[in-house]
Structure formats: structure tokens, C-alpha cells
Amino acid sequence: MSMETTELIKELKRIAALDKLRCLGCGYEHNCGTHGCQIIKEAIRQLKTVADNLSANRMLVVPDSGIGDLSDGYNTFNELYHHRAVLFSVICNANKDIAWKARQHHDGTMYDGMFIVGIDTPDGQATYHYDVDPYWDLFQVREMEFAPEWDGHTPEQAIERIGNLKNIGGYRRRGHWIRKSQYVAECSVCHELGTSKWKGCPHCLAIMSKEGPQNEDV
């Protein structure tokens, strides 16, 4: 037989008052005094707080299907996640020369079943992680084996940088060639190989300046 919250609190108060006569020495008994068991009294306080918050609609109840189906009355988390993925894919696909995707971080790690996609703005990176299924093919941008090293941007900085893209027009990244051998050089932007004779990197489309520092191993 289930009990209403108010009835449960009432019964706990009654038991707390009785238990002052049969203390079990839990370690909190110095706070009991003549007002009953401190443990039960604390349970009453916390239970009453939960009941008050529920009645005032100040507490969210996560659906049995998971937090993704939690709604604000308009959209669920899953819907907003999907909307963000579609909207960011439009931005990346419209700026293919500065966008990329990878199944691994720069250090070879990745969250299970996910990939990272990013866009290199003049202010720095803006990146997001998405589930490979169904979002990988949504991003028709350059695929890299490893993502560029994270520049430390926060979610707030990422969305600010994306917002600033409207002001850059035909922006292209700039980099330089790092000589690896007599004929081979590495792009400082995407780290793919090419030759320092090229004025642009064919992999990431960055505009290349004069050759940068030589690899110390050469």
C-alpha cells in the first residue's frame, strides 16, 4: 500500500519522537536531544523539500526513456541536438575551405560512436561532437585522420566565433610549409604533406606563406 508524501512525513515525525527512547548510537545522537532521532528528522526535512519543489514545479522529472526526451514544453534535448547538427552542417558545407571532420582527436582518442567536426574561423576554432550515425555524412567537408589540436575554446567562444563568420566574406586560413626533406613539406594548418613550391595547401586550402622552420630531424 502506497502512502501520500504528507502522510509519510507525519509518520516519520511520530517515529522520530518515539526513537528518542531507543537511541541506537549512530553517531549523530548528540543532536537529538529530546526532539527525536536526528537521522529521521533530516530525512523528513529533505523529503519535505522535494515535495515542496515538486508541488511548485521547481523540479524536473527525467522521463524513463532518458534525459534526451526531457522537454521544456517546446523541444526535447534530442530535438535540439538534432537541430544544432543540421544547422552546423549547413554552415560547414557552405564554408568547405575552412571546415573539416575527423573520427579521432589529435591524440588519437574519441568518444564511443562519435566524431568531431569543426570550422577554423579568423578568431579560432569552433567545434562540436556528434554521433557518427546518422550525422557523419551530413557534413560534406574535408575528412582528416586526426583533428587539429584543440585551441582551448569554450562553448561560449565557439558560438561567438560562428556568429562572426558573417563578417569575413571569403576568408581562407593561412599557414606555412614545414620542410621535412628536400622535396617534402608539412602544412602547418592541417599537417598533411605537400611541397613548399605550392602557394596553397591542396588538402585544407590554406594560403601558404614562405617556408617555416625546418624540421630538426632533417
Side-chain angles (χ1 to χ4, degrees), residues 9-63:
I9 291 174
K10 178 181 177 181
E11 287 302 307
L12 283 172
K13 287 180 177 179
R14 183 178 65 83
I15 295 172
L18 291 174
D19 272 2
K20 68 183 180 182
L21 303 176
R22 51 173 184 262
C23 178
L24 300 177
C26 67
Y28 293 90
E29 64 272 13
H30 60 282
N31 290 325
C32 294
T34 60
H35 302 289
C37 176
Q38 182 69 15
I39 297 296
I40 297 179
K41 284 163 55 183
E42 178 61 19
I44 293 170
R45 187 190 68 79
Q46 293 192 26
L47 182 60
K48 189 174 185 305
T49 298
V50 171
D52 290 344
N53 286 334
L54 284 173
S55 63
N57 293 322
R58 292 195 299 265
M59 182 172 291
L60 295 174
V61 178
V62 177

Side-chain angles (χ1 to χ4, degrees), residues 65-104:
S65 55
I67 195 169
D69 289 323
L70 184 65
S71 174
D72 63 356
Y74 299 96
N75 298 101
T76 65
F77 278 113
N78 285 336
E79 289 170 340
L80 294 175
Y81 178 87
H82 177 68
H83 291 181
R84 188 187 71 173
V86 172
L87 292 171
F88 192 51
S89 73
V90 172
I91 294 170
C92 289
N93 294 340
N95 295 274
K96 293 178 182 289
D97 56 329
I98 57 172
W100 48 267
K101 62 181 180 179
R103 294 177 185 265
Q104 299 181 81

Side-chain angles (χ1 to χ4, degrees), residues 5 19 61 67 69 75 87 92 98 108 116 129 131 135 150-151 166 207:
T5 303
D19 272 2
V61 178
I67 195 169
D69 289 323
N75 298 101
L87 292 171
C92 289
I98 57 172
I116 185 171
H129 291 87
D131 295 324
Y135 297 112
W150 177 52
D151 66 0
K166 64 181 183 294
I207 298 173

